[in-house]
Amino acid sequence: MSFPIADNLVLNDYYHAPYSRGLQRNDAAIRTDAERTVEKYDIRTPSAMVSAETLSGGNQQKVIVAREFEGEVKLLVLEQPTRGLDVGSIEFIHRQAVARRDTGVAILLVSAELDEVLELSDRIAVMYRGRIVEILDGRTADKEDVGLLMATGGRGSGIQEPLAEVAS
Amino acid sequence: MIARVRAVALVPALSVLLALLVGAVIMILTSPLVTGEFSLVLPLQAYAAMLGGAFGSLDAVVNTLVNATPLVLAGLAVGIGFKGGLFNIGAQGQFLIGALAATTVALALNDASPVVAIPAAVIAGMIGGAAWGFIPGALKAYTGAHEVVVTIMLNFVALAVLSWAVSGPLHGDNVVFSRTNDIEAAALPIIIGRNGHLGILFAAAAVPIASWLLYRSTTGFEIRTTGANPDAARYAGMRPRRVIILTMALSGLFAGLAGTTEILGEVGFLSAGYATDVGFDAIAVALLGRAHPVGILFAALLFGAMQAGAGAMQIQADLPVQMVDVLQAVILLFITADVIVRRVFRVRESAGELVELASVSRSYGGDRAA
């Protein structure tokens, strides 16, 4: 947090090229790449060298998202990636997530926003009491199905099961 | 850049100013003991004498530099620890072990050429200090033993080891006291003035080296990240245990070099009663310098100047040299209790400042072990 945005952005990659030359950090490369990333992810800051703790929460989150999205990865776990962000940023992060998917990155999205889950996911796994109860197709799943599965762990039988438990 | 320097340096500078004022009040209150009556000009005389003694002539300036040399090196040692989130109180012990290792090698090479003896003794001193820093680092990394406690205890161990070595295996041939023979081949040559030895250049070189290490090298990034946020460091794939051990060893290396230059350049032999507070003054220097190499350089020059000027102050103003200890202590008090300074001068806290000292307060509490 106290470090410049640029340092935060290279946290996972600081030790190899192009950010490091032997023992020495390549500050020029770190800085130009950070400036590019700040531009690309629309991080609102006077410069890539200001400390990350001076940013608003939403912009801090964008820094983290940018760092993870820009890395060379096979799997991305996104937990509440857009929480607290403004509409434009949410839209942007969603588009980036889909773009990463299209390049072959597996993405596991964990979110409390049902709309986000329904909009982005190819497949939706619904958990109830710590277990996955059903995996739905993202194109056909609707809010009611997902909501029912989340609340009761099943469909149709509806509300009886939890009620029965309360009774016993 | 200028704004940043100002934000970071303002409170230390004001602390020094405030300490000089408090010192003046103490001098005025105690002036009847010196002059027989209350004297309002005594502080002015004292500070003028001190200034003259520190900068008044070439020898005075050289004296300041010689006094500042071990403080720069040991101050960097403590500062590197701060950057890594470690409070190295053991600079004193690392200083002594560095001095002992350097002396051992220097005495063995007393008949060799200085070209061989000096580098060998200096490297031995750095390794000795690094080894003495490695111990608390490893203990912290693998057992969670707090470095503050371990380094304090190792200070006593270091002193005991030194006494044993000097009164036993390294005892001089024709000396009554517990001390070694004079160091000859490895004695650092005088390069300026009456006593300006080569160690001054070591200290001058150490500042940019430490800066590079902390701010430009990948290792320094690991040290600073681990110090600022151990969780983030672990997340990024850094190995906190390795970094903790490395930080303490590097810290010890600088402290060991401080002891080396002091013995090879200034003292010329090692004695069992070798009394020095450099390792502890270094903590004050590192705090005053906000753990930044350049800040530490200025802080060490200030303390070096005060120590160099103490003699002149005693002679001309009739005040005891211990007045300088009082001033140093008051500076340290204001630096650590910076709320007082902020109140007096109405300075607001800035983000940049908090960062520099965050590791100091954090290293007292919480679970920071790997």
Side-chain angles (χ1 to χ4, degrees):
Chain A
M1 285 288 265
S2 60
F3 284 17
I5 294 169
D7 282 357
N8 275 285
L9 286 171
V10 295
L11 192 57
N12 294 326
D13 302 294
Y14 69 93
Y15 54 87
H16 59 66
Y19 303 120
S20 158
R21 289 172 301 202
L23 290 173
Q24 179 159 313
R25 273 161 39 107
N26 184 349
D27 287 334
I30 289 171
R31 187 170 185 154
T32 41
D33 278 16
E35 274 159 6
R36 214 193 56 230
T37 309
V38 162
E39 183 83 13
K40 181 173 170 189
Y41 285 81
D42 190 30
I43 297 164
R44 303 290 167 86
T45 169
S47 123
M49 302 314 288
V50 304
S51 110
E53 67 193 347
T54 62
L55 299 181
S56 69
N59 279 302
Q60 286 176 356
Q61 185 153 350
K62 283 194 248 177
V63 172
I64 305 292
V65 168
R67 175 175 78 209
E68 301 305 332
F69 275 32
E70 291 293 301
E72 297 274 328
V73 289
K74 293 198 178 101
L75 168 69
L76 270 175
V77 180
L78 306 181
E79 199 209 343
Q80 304 270 30
T82 55
R83 191 168 170 191
L85 293 187
D86 60 277
V87 182
S89 308
I90 291 174
E91 189 62 28
F92 177 79
I93 286 172
H94 285 172
R95 276 205 310 278
Q96 287 296 317
V98 172
R100 291 302 272 155
R101 192 254 340 245
D102 293 343
T103 62
V105 175
I107 298 183
L108 176 62
L109 169 69
V110 182
S111 178
E113 292 284 340
L114 276 190
D115 290 332
E116 182 171 83
V117 171
L118 289 166
E119 188 188 325
L120 285 181
S121 308
D122 296 320
R123 286 184 300 154
I124 302 170
V126 184
M127 294 185 75
Y128 175 73
R129 302 197 143 204
R131 287 218 309 271
I132 293 175
V133 288
E134 200 161 331
I135 298 178
L136 307 168
D137 188 309
R139 278 165 302 193
T140 57
D142 67 36
K143 225 178 196 173
E144 281 71 27
D145 282 349
V146 174
L148 207 53
L149 283 166
M150 282 165 62
T152 68
R155 289 185 222 237
S157 60
I159 210 101
Q160 283 116 352
E161 195 194 333
L163 277 183
E165 269 172 39
V166 171
S168 67
Chain B
M1 182 66 193
I2 291 167
R4 239 190 84 72
V5 169
R6 187 174 170 274
V8 175
L10 187 61
V11 168
L14 292 176
S15 299
V16 172
L17 189 67
L18 209 54
L20 291 177
L21 288 174
V22 170
V25 170
I26 294 173
M27 287 179 207
I28 291 170
L29 289 178
T30 56
S31 55
L33 301 172
V34 178
T35 58
E37 57 189 13
F38 279 104
S39 159
L40 289 175
V41 293
L42 184 64
L44 293 176
Q45 291 169 345
Y47 289 143
M50 198 188 279
L51 210 57
F55 299 106
S57 65
L58 178 67
D59 271 343
V61 173
V62 169
N63 219 357
T64 295
L65 294 179
V66 168
N67 276 305
T69 291
L71 290 173
V72 170
L73 293 167
L76 290 172
V78 179
I80 289 169
F82 281 155
K83 284 291 178 198
L86 298 164
F87 200 168
N88 180 14
I89 313 233
Q92 179 76 11
Q94 293 141 18
F95 178 100
L96 293 176
I97 294 297
L100 177 60
T103 307
T104 308
V105 171
L107 291 173
L109 295 174
N110 243 355
D111 300 323
S113 149
V115 183
V116 178
I118 291 176
V122 168
I123 290 169
M126 293 196 288
I127 292 174
W132 212 245
F134 172 88
I135 298 171
L139 286 174
K140 168 140 189 144
Y142 287 100
T143 71
H146 203 290
E147 78 279 4
V148 168
V149 179
V150 177
T151 52
I152 288 175
M153 294 196 291
L154 282 175
N155 286 343
F156 292 102
V157 178
L159 194 59
V161 168
L162 185 140
S163 302
W164 165 78
V166 170
S167 46
L170 293 181
H171 194 275
D173 297 329
N174 296 311
V175 288
V176 181
F177 300 109
S178 287
R179 54 156 286 188
T180 64
N181 287 329
D182 283 340
I183 292 164
E184 281 155 28
L188 298 179
I190 303 293
I191 52 170
I192 183 169
R194 191 173 47 77
N195 61 347
H197 57 80
L198 188 65
I200 295 171
L201 293 186
F202 291 174
V207 173
I209 289 173
S211 272
W212 177 86
L213 180 73
L214 281 173
Y215 295 103
R216 302 274 294 140
S217 74
T218 48
T219 306
F221 186 61
E222 290 179 354
I223 291 174
R224 288 184 296 122
T225 305
T226 307
N229 187 342
D231 295 329
R234 199 166 314 140
Y235 165 77
M238 300 170 186
R239 284 168 289 181
R241 286 184 173 165
R242 213 184 68 114
V243 176
I244 287 171
I245 295 174
L246 185 68
T247 308
M248 283 304 292
L250 278 171
S251 184
L253 185 147
F254 278 91
L257 181 58
T260 304
T261 59
E262 202 57 3
I263 292 299
L264 299 186
E266 177 74 1
V267 185
F269 60 89
L270 198 56
S271 66
Y274 181 46
T276 171
D277 284 330
V278 168
F280 299 117
D281 290 345
I283 298 170
V285 166
L287 286 170
L288 182 60
R290 285 291 197 251
H292 191 287
V294 176
I296 287 168
L297 173 66
F298 282 110
L301 284 172
L302 175 75
F303 276 37
M306 292 203 306
Q307 286 167 10
M313 181 187 74
Q314 178 162 34
I315 295 165
Q316 292 172 33
D318 218 11
L319 283 161
V321 285
Q322 281 77 11
M323 194 63 220
V324 167
D325 295 338
V326 173
L327 287 175
Q328 286 185 1
V330 177
I331 290 173
L332 187 58
L333 179 77
F334 284 134
I335 285 289
T336 46
D338 59 350
V339 178
I340 303 172
V341 180
R342 291 181 195 289
R343 278 280 167 78
V344 171
F345 293 98
R346 299 182 195 288
V347 183
R348 275 191 298 160
E349 277 182 68
S350 72
E353 243 173 313
L354 286 175
V355 177
E356 296 296 322
L357 285 184
S359 63
V360 180
S361 49
R362 194 170 41 240
S363 75
Y364 282 117
D367 169 36
R368 293 200 4 84

